[in-house]
Amino acid sequence: MSSQKKRDQLILHTALTAGRIMIENGSEVERVEDTMERIAHNAGAKTSQLFVMITGILMAINGEVGAQIEPVKRRTFDLEKISVVNDLSRQFAVHKITLQEFSNRLGHLDKSTKYFPFWLQLLSAAMVSGPLEVVFRHNLPDFWITCVVGALGWLVFYLLNKFIQIRFLSEFAAAATIGVLAIWSVHLGLGNSVDDIIIGSVMPLVPGVPITNSVRDILAGNLVSGPARGVEALVSAAAIGFGIAMVLQFL
Amino acid sequence: MSLTEFLIEVAGNYVATIGFGILLNIPRRALNYAGWIGVMGYFVYKFIVIWGGGYVVGNMMGAVLIGVASLQAARIKKMPMILFNIPALVPLVPGGQAYQMIKYFALGENSTAFVFLIQVVMISGAIAFGFLLSELVNRVQQRVWRHRR
């Protein structure tokens, strides 16, 4: 009886941690439900009851007394972790790893953050800005200055996000910086068109994850989490827009 | 569209999609596929616009292609689908129109701004609807696939 209870506890703990990691790093709700159900099923639980929202998860197994809750406090975008949880879940399903191992690896994954090196992220921010400016506006002469402005704008976003941790404020400040730099660079004769430079440079800040997840959640019938993500995307877009609009007032 | 322009757009979309993927920290193994899906999605949009299909239908079909291709990539690579469709969506984002809208609102020319606002709403709606359609295609395909085995 006691060992059975311990086993149930471990199943709940593993499934809840997996679910929390996935939501924290930007997964859609349907995938979280699916993964947690699979974990419980593969670990030998007869039934599982789930309630997943983007601010918290509730789960019970075997219809017993004592559902457990796991709050989701922070939200970032780190799609690699989702992929790793997915891999671990697949390995567990074919009995390559035990439940205890699975749980330990999740705990380890939760603590470690393995991003790409900083210079590569800065470079890729530049490589999002410049090429998209050319694709959208066909303005080749402004390619280089757009790369530079985009990278600097993303740098502001990154640093502020690290220290004040309010995503919307960082986006606002980054957008304002991009606006100022774009106007300034045209003033100094480094670029030709303020519009094109701003359009390109803002692209790394686009809230792609919330937009996509919002649509997919709503389609899956999840009418609480889908609109919540949509609001997140909308506030981000509005923050960027206000940042640009504020600068353009002084044009 | 000349050949040089075509090549520049292919390279630009590929690099931009991969760059966005790196910012979201998607695993290295998924970057190449995501890049090509981004290129394909954009060119479906582009060719439909060139052949007179209109930008709404273009964006919708682009989103459909991204959704369907992402599921195939997810199946081949055994990775979650969102690793491919989120970066691939970036070239379709109506950044230009959204900026023009903000600009004209800031300058107080509301009637011009509303024209762009409507375009932004139409394009976003078209992309969302495109994802819906791709989900439909994917589910039908999954049914058939499961049925055959």
Side-chain angles (χ1 to χ4, degrees):
Chain A
M1 179 62 209
S2 165
S3 78
Q4 176 64 33
K5 212 164 196 177
K6 252 186 196 160
R7 170 90 181 166
D8 281 359
Q9 179 61 39
L10 188 60
I11 294 173
L12 271 178
H13 177 74
T14 312
L16 283 171
T17 315
R20 178 173 56 77
I21 291 176
M22 290 177 89
I23 294 187
E24 271 179 1
N25 294 299
S27 173
E28 74 267 41
V29 168
E30 198 185 13
R31 172 181 310 283
V32 176
E33 282 172 352
D34 186 54
T35 308
M36 287 174 71
E37 242 160 39
R38 269 166 211 262
I39 291 172
H41 179 77
N42 291 330
K46 284 182 212 77
T47 60
S48 58
Q49 292 80 37
L50 278 172
F51 179 62
V52 181
M53 290 212 305
I54 61 169
T55 49
I57 312 169
L58 203 61
M59 185 184 195
I61 51 172
N62 294 336
E64 273 178 24
V65 176
Q68 293 201 2
I69 190 163
E70 180 90 28
V72 181
K73 293 240 174 74
R74 64 194 182 99
R75 262 190 302 285
T76 53
F77 304 126
D78 181 352
L79 299 188
E80 172 145 32
K81 281 191 181 171
I82 298 171
S83 168
V84 173
V85 173
N86 193 48
D87 282 348
L88 287 175
S89 168
R90 275 173 193 274
Q91 285 177 20
F92 179 60
V94 295
H95 303 292
K96 253 190 204 159
I97 54 174
T98 63
L99 188 60
Q100 185 62 53
E101 247 177 285
F102 190 0
S103 171
N104 293 346
R105 289 235 206 138
L106 282 179
H108 186 68
L109 175 69
D110 198 15
K111 284 196 198 83
S112 66
T113 43
K114 205 178 110 239
Y115 279 101
F116 283 97
F118 176 72
W119 62 266
L120 188 57
Q121 291 190 44
L122 198 61
L123 184 70
S124 51
M127 286 295 113
V128 174
S129 318
L132 281 182
E133 185 266 325
V134 176
V135 169
F136 287 162
R137 314 296 293 185
H138 304 283
N139 183 351
L140 263 182
D142 280 352
F143 176 77
W144 293 111
I145 189 67
T146 308
C147 285
V148 173
V149 173
L152 288 177
W154 183 82
L155 182 68
V156 169
F157 170 72
Y158 179 86
L159 291 178
L160 278 181
N161 216 13
K162 208 163 194 177
F163 294 120
I164 58 176
Q165 286 165 351
I166 303 175
R167 203 182 145 76
F168 307 127
L169 283 181
S170 325
E171 277 162 347
F172 173 77
T177 314
I178 286 169
V180 170
L181 285 175
I183 291 172
W184 208 27
S185 61
V186 172
H187 210 71
L188 291 178
L190 296 170
N192 302 319
S193 161
V194 177
D195 296 1
D196 293 357
I197 296 175
I198 293 180
I199 289 171
S201 310
V202 161
M203 290 313 283
L205 303 176
V206 165
V209 179
I211 293 175
T212 315
N213 284 340
S214 160
V215 173
R216 297 205 60 185
D217 277 349
I218 294 174
L219 293 184
N222 211 314
L223 294 180
V224 176
S225 300
R229 290 259 194 221
V231 169
E232 197 180 353
L234 216 62
V235 176
S236 285
I240 296 170
F242 285 141
I244 297 287
M246 198 185 75
V247 175
L248 286 179
Q249 288 285 337
F250 301 109
L251 192 67
Chain B
M1 195 165 57
S2 69
L3 186 65
T4 347
E5 264 180 59
F6 178 76
L7 290 179
I8 287 177
E9 291 202 349
V10 169
N13 278 312
Y14 183 73
V15 169
T17 310
I18 286 189
F20 203 78
I22 291 177
L23 291 183
L24 294 175
N25 202 25
I26 78 174
R28 274 151 220 254
R29 292 185 289 142
L31 284 176
N32 187 25
Y33 274 61
W36 287 117
I37 293 171
V39 173
M40 288 192 299
Y42 180 78
F43 275 99
V44 167
Y45 156 73
K46 183 92 190 180
F47 285 133
I48 287 178
V49 169
I50 288 176
W51 291 329
Y55 62 92
V56 171
V57 176
N59 276 296
M60 192 188 80
M61 294 314 291
V64 169
L65 185 115
I66 289 172
V68 173
S70 300
L71 190 79
Q72 301 310 323
R75 218 175 252 159
I76 293 167
K77 288 268 175 183
K78 291 197 166 48
M79 288 169 129
M81 184 177 158
I82 50 170
L83 301 185
F84 304 100
N85 65 6
I86 293 176
L89 189 73
V90 170
L92 291 185
V93 168
Q97 288 89 334
Y99 169 75
Q100 303 285 4
M101 175 190 94
I102 296 284
K103 181 180 160 190
Y104 285 113
F105 271 129
L107 297 178
E109 292 173 32
N110 287 346
S111 53
T112 321
F114 272 112
V115 174
F116 286 109
L117 173 67
I118 288 168
Q119 282 192 19
V120 171
V121 171
M122 294 279 273
I123 291 176
S124 321
I127 292 175
F129 191 67
F131 267 131
L132 178 96
L133 281 184
S134 76
E135 204 85 344
L136 186 77
V137 174
N138 288 344
R139 292 208 173 164
V140 168
Q141 197 200 358
Q142 255 166 352
R143 256 307 147 72
V144 173
W145 202 55
R146 219 172 270 161
H147 203 70
R148 242 192 238 153
R149 288 207 304 173

